[in-house]
């Protein structure tokens, strides 16, 4: 029953088991430095806000998307902004491992940040909850779950590992001034109040500098190690992920230790000597403490500054931080013996940002990668399966993803696991494995291949041939159906050829090719001929004879860049020239052949004409605009639409009445090619309007000014009227009036236009004598009668001046406007009753200069 419950829990949690491993893909550390592993290799990122001399932590989603990061005091979200309540945490960036981030089990939104004060400071070890459901999914520090104390005086070291159940977590720390390691369990219900205490016998006390140095788990959780900086002694011990207890403690001497890290398989431990600027390797699998100490090997040295933290990456390489550097150093093969680890200085450029002593601190179970490895995935052969890491696995159960195989689809073997697949395609192998009394789950999707040698597709040759047959890649051995054991053969006759091969992983397969050799005799049902450009429609038919084959495709090329695909085609050329028509035929066997015919296309004339649109009874002038590029036009034939015709080139045609007419022009070249142009009801002979008017002259009291009244007698289809009365006097009214008649001869003209834009005009002339009269008395007495002295005269004149003098010869008034008179005032004051002298000079348009001078009586 217990195992059943564990199995159910494991299946509930298997999603995290499958997609884990990318929570450590984004790192922020040092002075705004960072790297990103989401492309499978480390890339520099420079957008971080963190500046920390030592401790820091980052955390991403299982698919590698950044969630947040911290220096133990501040918490930045994925947009690099401080979270709400994300300041004032009680860690210290100067602590070796100032913080570590643990996801809350069975929660997809809550995380715990454990913080550590520097040099066993009063803030101790605390934890704070972050909820990613807040702040629009960017996270928020929960105020009432902030800086909760769990250990009052801790060393600068903290690490974490999954519980043996694969769900919960252990967080381990060392109490200062004691030899005790505290193991706190993190579950769905939170952080346990009662830690598991392990007594190591190695006390960290006296000097606060002894608290410096990192603590790390091996990825499988079986070992734990920590560095004691100034004690010159570090520790490695066993760990029980079920009980949380540390045991079998070995202390080993190492000078000035600071950072440490296990290799991915837990085979080796690496420790950095900070001031000595060196990194050493120890063999974790040593049988005794003596053998362990003796296994110490120098890996790298002579760094430019202090050697700091060591941290495994998602790629299983170990990265080294050196203070003040713009690069990370790397151990490329940490699971290898010392001389094969391939250390590399200045391996990762940080984009100008600077490292310090620290690198991000992670829960080390992220790097415990258990996955299925598939090899020799060939059809009908033994596909091999292995497990990437069996350090923590006690027993297994395989499901190979082929239910039809029934009992053969299941296996309980830990090693030498294989399965034979009978069909190609994608399969999913699943692995249930029992570890530390708990069941876990993983899977791998892969493709079962058929290693076919591919000597070629079935091939067709027309006529003699020679073909070299060879597989597309290299195999271990070869067997042809003609008994050849070579990797290739040459064939010169039709038939079927086959090969059987064995590939590098021992899979067998074969391929067959058929070679065919048919004949085709193409023919066209048409003769060479001469055509005119216009209406040169050709009908062509394929008459090909097939021997040992049948028609697959027919393609015609007409010599002008066009082509068609059909057994019978129709073609008309758009231009002149000599064209070779080519027929290409293909059989089902892909053999092809061709035949050609020649056609000559001559120029044809292009009929075209233009015309005016007269107003009846004016004649229509036709203008022949026909052309031909080569040769000449010899015949013209006109049909005017009223049963009349003409052979003229540019005829002038008078119609008997207005209306719309259909006109056709047919032209013929000296080669007999014909063209025509028809303008359907396109010739319009429009009807003219009739312009006519008369007028009479009237005199209107009291001024007796002369006015002419015009009477428009034009036809009723008129739409616009334009009058010209001379002297720039015009009108567009139908029946205008004219309030003057100048002296001399006057000509009045009317132009009319109808809706067809046809026009007509009519003119009348009259002779008028110039008239002039000046009153000899006026009375400016405000009774609106005879108030102003002004002449009655023709107003349109060339020159005019009027002057008023008193009896002493003083000028009182002057004007050049015949319409402006004297109002009896001088300098804005009324003049007295009496006699005044008026002098007038003027020149009519049709006369000479005249002078008037007469006395004027002013009466008030």
């Amino acid at each position: 029953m217990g195992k059943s419950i564990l199995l159910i829990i494991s299946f509930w949690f298997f999603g995290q088991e499958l997609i884990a491993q990318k929570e450590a893909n984004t790192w922020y550390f040092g002075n705004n430095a960072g790297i990103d592993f989401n492309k499978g290799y480390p890339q520099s990122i420079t957008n971080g806000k963190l500046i920390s001399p030592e401790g820091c932590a980052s955390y991403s989603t299982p698919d590698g998307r950044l969630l947040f990061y911290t220096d133990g005091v501040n918490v930045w979200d994925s947009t690099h902004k401080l979270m709400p309540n994300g300041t004032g945490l009680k860690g210290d960036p100067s602590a070796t491992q100032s913080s570590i981030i643990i996801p809350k089990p069975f929660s997809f939104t809550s995380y715990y940040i454990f913080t550590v004060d520097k040099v066993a400071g009063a803030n101790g070890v605390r934890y704070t909850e972050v909820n990613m459901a807040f702040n629009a999914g960017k996270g928020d520090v929960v105020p009432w779950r902030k800086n909760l104390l769990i250990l009052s005086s801790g060393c600068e070291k903290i690490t974490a590992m999954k519980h043996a159940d694969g769900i919960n977590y252990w967080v381990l720390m060392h109490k200062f001034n004691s030899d005790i390691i505290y193991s706190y369990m993190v579950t769905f219900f939170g952080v346990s109040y009662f830690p598991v205490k392990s007594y190591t016998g190695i006390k960290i006390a006296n000097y606060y500098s002894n608290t410096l140095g990192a603590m790390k788990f091996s990825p499988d959780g079986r070992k734990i190690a920590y560095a004691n900086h100034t004690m010159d002694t570090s520790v490695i011990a066993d760990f029980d992920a079920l009980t949380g207890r540390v045991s079998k403690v070995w202390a080993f001497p190492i000078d000035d230790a600071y950072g440490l890290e296990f290799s991915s398989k837990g085979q080796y431990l690496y420790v950095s000597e900070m001031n000595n600027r060196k990194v050493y390797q120890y063999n974790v699998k040593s049988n005794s403490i003596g053998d362990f100490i003796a296994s110490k090997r120098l890996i790298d040295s002579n760094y430019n500054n202090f050697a700091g933290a060591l941290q495994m990456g998602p790629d299983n390489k170990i990265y080294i931080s050196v203070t003040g550097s713009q690069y990370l150093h790397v151990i490329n093969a940490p699971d290898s013996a010392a001389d094969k680890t391939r250390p590399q200085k200045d391996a990762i450029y940080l984009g100008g940002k600077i490292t310090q002593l620290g690198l991000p601190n992670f829960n080390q179970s992220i790097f415990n990668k258990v996955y299925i490895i598939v090899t020799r995935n060939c059809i009908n052969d033994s596909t091999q399966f292995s497990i990437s890491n069996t350090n923590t696995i006690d027993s297994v159960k395989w499901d190979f993803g082929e239910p039809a195989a029934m009992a053969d689809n299941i296996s309980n073997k830990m090693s030498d696991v294989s399965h034979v697949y009978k069909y190609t395609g994608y399969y999913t192998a699943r692995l249930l494995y029992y570890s530390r009394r708990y069941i876990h789950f993983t899977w791998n999707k892969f493709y079962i291949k058929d290693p076919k040698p591919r000597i070629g597709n079935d091939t067709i040759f027309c006529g003699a041939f020679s073909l070299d047959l060879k597989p597309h890649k290299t195999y271990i051995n070869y067997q042809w159906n003609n008994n050849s054991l070579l990797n290739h053969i040459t064939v010169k006759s039709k038939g079927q050829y086959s090969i059987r091969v064995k590939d590098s992983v021992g899979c067998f397969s074969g391929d067959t090719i058929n070679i065919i050799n048919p004949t085709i005799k193409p023919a066209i049902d048409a003769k060479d001929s001469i055509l005119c450009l216009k209406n040169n429609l050709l009908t062509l038919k394929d008459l090909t004879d097939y021997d040992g084959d049948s028609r697959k495709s027919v393609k015609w090329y007409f010599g002008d860049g066009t082509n068609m695909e059909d057994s019978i085609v129709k073609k008309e050329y758009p231009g002149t020239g000599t064209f070779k028509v080519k027929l290409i035929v293909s059989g089902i066997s892909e053999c092809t052949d061709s035949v050609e015919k020649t056609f000559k296309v001559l120029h044809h004339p292009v009929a075209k004409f233009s015309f005016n649109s007269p107003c009846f009874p004016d004649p229509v002038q036709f203008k022949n605009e026909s052309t031909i590029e080569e040769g000449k036009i010899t015949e013209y034939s006109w049909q005017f639409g009223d049963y009349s015709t003409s052979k003229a080139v540019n005829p002038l045609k008078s119609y008997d009445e207005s209306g719309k007419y259909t006109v056709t022009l047919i032209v013929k070249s000296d080669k007999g090619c014909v063209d025509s142009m028809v303008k359907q009801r396109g010739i319009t002979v429009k009807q003219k309007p009739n312009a006519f008017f008369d007028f009479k002259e009237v005199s209107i009291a009291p001024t007796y000014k002369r006015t002419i009244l015009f009477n428009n007698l034009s036809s009723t289809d008129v739409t616009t009227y334009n009058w010209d009365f001379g002297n720039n006097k015009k009108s567009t009214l139908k029946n205008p009036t004219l309030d003057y008649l100048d002296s001399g001869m006057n000509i009045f003209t009317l132009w009319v236009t109808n809706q067809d834009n046809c026009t007509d005009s009519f003119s009348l002339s009259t002779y008028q004598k110039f008239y002039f009269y000046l009153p000899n008395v006026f009375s400016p007495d405000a009774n609106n009668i005879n108030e102003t002295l002004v002449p009655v005269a023709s107003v349109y004149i060339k020159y005019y001046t009027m002057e008023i003098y008193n009896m002493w010869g003083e000028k009182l008034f002057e004007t050049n406007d015949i319409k402006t008179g004297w109002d009896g005032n001088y300098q804005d004051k009324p003049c007295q009753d009496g006699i005044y002298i008026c002098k007038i000079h003027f020149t009519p348009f049709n006369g000479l200069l005249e002078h008037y001078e007469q006395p004027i009586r002013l009466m008030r």
Side-chain angles (χ1 to χ4, degrees):
M1 179 64 182
K3 288 188 178 181
S4 298
I5 293 173
L6 295 178
L7 178 61
I8 293 170
I9 292 174
S10 180
F11 273 123
W12 188 95
F13 198 65
F14 86 95
Q16 283 192 324
E17 186 83 20
L18 293 177
I19 62 175
Q21 316 306 332
K22 293 188 179 181
E23 293 93 334
N25 269 24
T26 307
W27 297 10
Y28 288 101
F29 54 90
N31 293 358
N32 305 122
I35 53 176
D36 186 331
F37 288 89
N38 279 306
K39 290 189 176 180
Y41 55 89
Q43 287 185 300
S44 170
I45 48 177
T46 58
N47 55 0
K49 300 298 183 182
L50 182 144
I51 298 178
S52 173
E54 296 185 67
C56 53
S58 305
Y59 211 82
S60 301
T61 62
D63 61 359
R65 178 176 55 84
L66 175 67
L67 287 174
F68 58 92
Y69 55 100
T70 181
D71 60 359
V73 176
N74 302 299
V75 184
W76 290 271
D77 65 21
S78 60
T79 65
H80 309 287
K81 295 180 180 178
L82 285 170
M83 279 189 181
N85 307 306
T87 59
L89 274 65
K90 297 296 185 179
D92 194 300
S94 294
T96 305
Q97 292 171 299
S98 66
S99 51
I100 193 168
I101 300 168
I102 305 299
K104 184 178 180 180
F106 294 106
S107 172
F108 296 100
T109 59
S110 293
Y111 298 81
Y112 294 116
I113 302 175
F114 288 82
T115 57
V116 180
D117 199 1
K118 67 179 179 180
V119 292
N123 286 327
V125 181
R126 299 171 183 262
Y127 73 91
T128 295
E129 184 174 345
V130 172
N131 195 323
M132 296 304 296
F134 298 159
N135 191 25
K138 291 180 288 191
D140 189 351
V141 172
V142 181
W144 57 90
R145 301 284 292 167
K146 183 176 181 180
N147 291 323
L148 302 178
L149 182 67
I150 57 174
L151 185 64
S152 59
S153 180
C155 297
E156 292 187 5
K157 52 186 99 274
I158 188 168
T159 189
M161 172 57 58
K162 270 192 176 180
H163 190 281
D165 60 14
I167 300 173
N168 300 310
Y169 290 88
W170 291 109
V171 179
L172 273 67
M173 59 209 70
H174 199 295
K175 183 175 177 61
F176 182 61
N177 204 25
S178 78
D179 67 340
I180 305 174
I181 293 178
Y182 284 70
S183 300
Y184 285 89
M185 183 183 277
V186 179
T187 69
F188 172 74
F189 301 103
V191 180
S192 63
Y193 291 104
F194 305 103
V196 175
K197 298 179 182 180
S198 300
Y199 295 85
T200 65
I202 302 168
K203 188 175 183 179
I204 301 177
N206 299 326
Y207 302 106
Y208 288 113
S209 60
N210 289 340
T211 69
L212 276 63
M215 176 184 284
K216 290 288 184 72
F217 274 111
S218 62
D220 60 10
R222 294 182 181 273
K223 291 287 185 179
I224 187 170
Y226 55 92
N228 300 318
H229 181 54
T230 54
M231 291 175 63
D232 295 336
T233 299
S234 294
V235 172
I236 184 170
D238 289 346
F239 180 72
D240 187 340
L242 182 63
T243 65
R245 294 193 178 279
V246 176
S247 61
K248 194 180 176 181
V249 179
W250 291 350
F252 59 96
I254 184 167
D255 183 27
D256 202 31
Y258 183 84
L260 48 76
E261 182 62 286
F262 287 91
S263 64
S264 64
K265 294 181 180 180
Q267 173 74 38
Y268 298 103
L269 174 68
Y270 293 83
V271 186
S272 66
E273 291 186 342
M274 184 174 75
N275 293 321
N276 295 332
R277 307 181 184 187
K278 297 178 180 179
V279 174
Y280 288 96
Q281 181 195 76
Y282 292 85
N283 190 342
V284 176
K285 302 298 183 181
S286 300
N287 294 322
S288 66
I289 179 62
D291 290 345
F292 179 81
I293 294 172
S295 71
K296 180 180 180 181
R297 297 289 184 273
L298 179 64
I299 298 301
D300 205 3
S301 61
N302 298 322
Y303 298 116
N304 291 330
N305 211 331
F306 298 134
L310 307 180
Q311 178 58 52
M312 185 190 304
D315 55 2
N316 291 338
K317 298 179 181 181
I318 293 178
Y319 293 85
I320 306 168
S321 179
V322 173
T323 303
S325 176
Q326 294 186 22
Y327 294 84
L328 284 182
H329 309 286
V330 65
I331 301 173
N332 285 291
D335 280 305
S336 302
D339 58 343
K340 297 179 181 179
T341 56
R342 294 189 289 117
Q344 182 181 357
K345 289 186 173 67
D346 297 338
I348 309 299
Y349 178 59
L350 299 175
K353 304 303 180 180
I354 304 298
T355 65
Q356 296 295 347
L357 281 174
L359 289 174
N361 191 17
F362 295 102
N363 109 66
Q364 292 293 95
S365 56
I366 292 174
F367 306 104
N368 186 31
K369 303 177 182 178
V370 176
Y371 54 89
I372 300 171
I373 301 171
V374 181
T375 57
R376 196 178 178 187
N377 49 320
C378 301
I379 190 173
N380 295 321
D381 213 327
S382 294
T383 298
Q384 305 295 323
F385 296 92
S386 59
I387 306 171
S388 63
N389 184 352
T390 59
N391 288 350
T392 61
I393 296 178
D394 300 318
S395 62
V396 300
K397 183 175 182 179
W398 294 90
D399 179 337
F400 299 118
E402 192 179 28
M406 302 181 70
D408 290 337
N409 189 47
I410 305 298
S411 174
N412 295 317
K413 296 173 66 175
M414 183 82 77
S415 60
D416 298 325
V417 182
S418 66
H419 180 74
V420 177
Y421 291 91
K422 298 179 180 179
Y423 303 97
T424 60
Y426 284 98
Y427 293 86
T428 300
R430 295 171 175 84
L431 174 67
L432 289 174
Y433 59 95
Y434 189 62
S435 175
R436 299 167 182 169
R437 296 172 54 188
Y438 289 90
I439 294 178
H440 305 272
F441 178 75
T442 187
W443 55 267
N444 188 350
K445 186 176 182 179
F446 53 93
Y447 187 80
I448 293 297
K449 65 179 181 177
D450 182 354
K452 192 172 183 177
R454 299 179 191 171
I455 57 176
N457 296 325
D458 290 348
T459 305
I460 299 170
F461 291 98
C462 298
F465 68 93
S466 177
L467 179 63
D468 189 37
L469 298 180
K470 184 178 181 180
H472 71 295
K473 62 181 180 180
T474 303
Y475 294 87
I476 300 301
N477 56 48
Y478 309 84
Q479 176 72 55
W480 295 89
N481 63 343
N482 64 357
N483 298 320
S484 172
L485 300 179
L486 300 176
N487 67 343
H488 74 283
I489 61 173
T490 300
V491 297
K492 297 182 179 181
S493 59
K494 66 181 180 180
Q496 185 180 81
Y497 300 88
S498 61
I499 188 175
R500 181 172 173 79
V501 297
K502 181 180 180 181
D503 70 5
S504 58
V505 295
C507 294
F508 289 92
S509 186
D511 193 19
T512 298
I513 184 173
N514 291 297
I515 299 177
I516 304 170
N517 190 233
T519 58
I520 298 176
K521 297 178 181 179
I524 299 176
D525 182 17
K527 296 181 179 180
D528 296 345
S529 60
I530 297 176
L531 310 168
C532 289
L533 179 58
K534 190 169 184 179
N535 299 320
N536 59 81
L537 186 63
L538 283 169
T539 299
L540 303 173
K541 184 177 181 181
D542 169 30
L543 297 178
T544 301
D545 178 42
Y546 295 87
D547 182 12
D549 205 346
S550 59
R551 182 171 60 201
K552 178 181 179 182
S553 67
V554 176
K555 195 160 188 177
W556 301 84
Y557 293 88
F558 298 106
D560 62 348
T562 64
N563 58 77
M564 294 183 189
E565 296 183 19
D566 205 342
S567 58
I568 300 177
V569 295
K570 294 182 182 296
K571 169 65 179 176
E572 186 172 10
Y573 285 96
T576 61
T578 300
F579 302 94
K580 291 186 178 295
V581 175
K582 187 175 185 178
L583 169 64
I584 300 178
V585 293
S586 298
I588 298 298
S589 62
E590 301 298 338
C591 278
T592 63
D593 204 347
S594 63
V595 65
E596 287 186 352
K597 293 287 183 179
T598 301
F599 299 94
K600 185 174 183 181
V601 180
L602 302 175
H603 286 278
H604 76 281
V606 178
K608 185 179 180 182
F609 64 91
S610 61
F611 57 90
N612 63 338
S613 295
C615 296
F616 183 80
D618 296 340
V620 180
Q621 177 64 64
F622 290 94
K623 182 180 180 182
N624 194 322
E625 298 173 345
S626 302
T627 59
I628 187 169
E629 291 188 24
E630 186 177 320
K632 61 183 180 178
I633 299 174
T634 56
E635 278 187 36
Y636 301 89
S637 178
W638 297 85
Q639 299 173 5
F640 296 117
D642 62 348
Y643 302 105
S644 64
T645 62
S646 174
K647 295 292 185 179
V649 177
N650 297 294
L652 183 66
K653 166 65 178 176
S654 293
Y655 286 90
D656 295 335
E657 58 182 349
S658 61
K660 294 183 179 292
Y661 298 90
T662 297
V663 176
T664 301
L665 170 62
I666 302 172
V667 295
K668 188 175 182 180
S669 73
D670 55 351
K671 301 295 185 180
C673 293
V674 176
D675 191 27
S676 64
M677 182 179 189
V678 178
K679 296 199 175 182
Q680 192 73 29
R681 293 180 58 81
I683 311 301
T684 302
V685 180
K686 299 177 287 187
Q687 181 66 46
K688 275 189 178 181
N690 184 26
F692 188 71
F693 68 90
D694 61 14
F695 65 88
K696 63 181 178 179
E697 182 178 332
V698 298
S699 180
I700 303 174
T703 60
Y704 298 99
K705 180 171 67 174
R706 297 182 182 185
T707 298
I708 296 175
L709 303 179
F710 291 89
N711 181 27
N712 196 326
L713 301 173
S714 301
S715 58
T716 58
D717 61 339
V718 173
T719 57
T720 59
Y721 306 88
N722 288 283
W723 299 83
D724 187 346
F725 304 123
N727 296 327
N728 293 323
K729 189 70 173 179
K730 301 180 184 298
S731 176
T732 58
L733 297 176
K734 181 178 181 181
N735 294 294
T737 61
L738 184 64
D739 61 1
Y740 74 94
L741 270 180
D742 205 354
S743 59
M745 179 66 69
N746 289 278
I747 300 176
F748 307 126
T749 303
L750 169 63
W751 283 271
V752 295
T753 306
N754 63 11
Q755 63 183 4
D756 290 327
N757 207 33
C758 290
T759 62
D760 192 23
S761 64
F762 179 75
S763 297
L764 288 175
S765 61
T766 180
Y767 181 82
Q768 297 293 331
K769 184 178 179 181
F770 180 80
Y771 64 93
F772 182 86
Y773 166 73
L774 180 68
N776 59 6
V777 64
F778 74 109
S779 58
D781 53 5
N783 64 355
N784 293 326
I785 300 175
N786 203 18
E787 296 288 331
T788 303
L789 177 65
V790 62
V792 178
S794 298
V795 295
Y796 284 85
I797 58 179
K798 294 180 181 179
Y799 168 77
Y800 173 82
T801 181
M802 174 182 178
E803 298 172 335
I804 304 297
Y805 296 87
N806 61 20
M807 299 303 294
W808 292 275
E810 181 181 9
K811 184 186 292 187
L812 304 180
F813 176 77
E814 181 178 11
T815 182
N816 297 110
D817 185 0
I818 198 170
K819 296 180 181 179
T820 302
W822 184 39
D823 60 1
N825 293 333
Y826 177 59
Q827 295 183 351
D828 296 329
K829 294 181 180 180
C831 294
Q832 298 178 351
D833 287 4
I835 303 299
Y836 296 86
I837 302 301
C838 177
K839 295 181 180 181
I840 294 177
H841 311 279
F842 60 85
T843 303
F845 272 103
N846 297 307
L848 303 175
L849 179 64
E850 297 187 23
H851 303 276
Y852 282 81
E853 182 175 342
Q854 71 179 52
I856 302 298
R857 173 67 184 272
L858 187 154
M859 298 179 63
R860 290 192 181 276

